[in-house]
Amino acid sequence: MALRLSLKSEAAAMSEINVTPLVDVMLVLLVVFIVTAPLLTKAVHIALPKTSATASTPQTRSVEVSMDAAGVVRIDQRAVSLPRLEDELRRLFEHDPQLTVRVYGDENTAYGAMARMMAVVQRAGASNIALVTLPL
């Protein structure tokens, strides 16, 4: 009987899986992924595609925000300064929260200037933004 009891206790001990090495490997893989993921996004160089413009669906009401090559910002053909743009758009969104902002940008406008203008439009509360292009 003593022999059988020792065999059962050894078999019971061998049936348990030690998960500590598995957890260690998974943590190392997680750390490697966390460290390498940001490096992958910064290393990608892309060439933006040229596509033909598609007809947009008709909207109920929209406002046009444009920036020319000289950096002059306009709301519906009315010149406005960039700091004042946010206040003007907020006032428009108070009357119509579903207002669509159609952004026109000159192809010779600096990318940074357009990015600043788009940030102002987003800060003003625009949820529907359409970038207007000409067909090829």
Side-chain angles (χ1 to χ4, degrees), residues 54-122:
T54 59
S56 64
T57 57
Q59 299 291 330
T60 55
R61 185 165 184 278
S62 65
V63 62
E64 295 179 359
V65 176
S66 63
M67 179 180 280
D68 61 10
V72 177
V73 178
R74 298 181 187 278
I75 296 178
D76 289 332
Q77 305 301 324
R78 182 175 44 91
V80 65
S81 66
L82 192 59
R84 183 129 167 79
L85 176 65
E86 185 173 356
D87 296 331
E88 294 280 336
L89 289 175
R90 282 186 195 271
R91 185 176 50 79
L92 291 171
F93 288 129
E94 287 175 2
H95 294 107
D96 187 5
Q98 297 300 323
L99 185 69
T100 299
V101 178
R102 299 178 72 183
V103 177
Y104 292 81
D106 190 281
E107 66 181 351
N108 297 320
T109 304
Y111 181 78
M114 283 297 295
R116 284 189 292 277
M117 185 183 77
M118 292 289 293
V120 169
V121 169
Q122 187 178 15

Side-chain angles (χ1 to χ4, degrees), residues 14 22 34 49 108 133:
M14 293 300 287
L22 177 65
I34 290 172
N108 297 320
T133 61

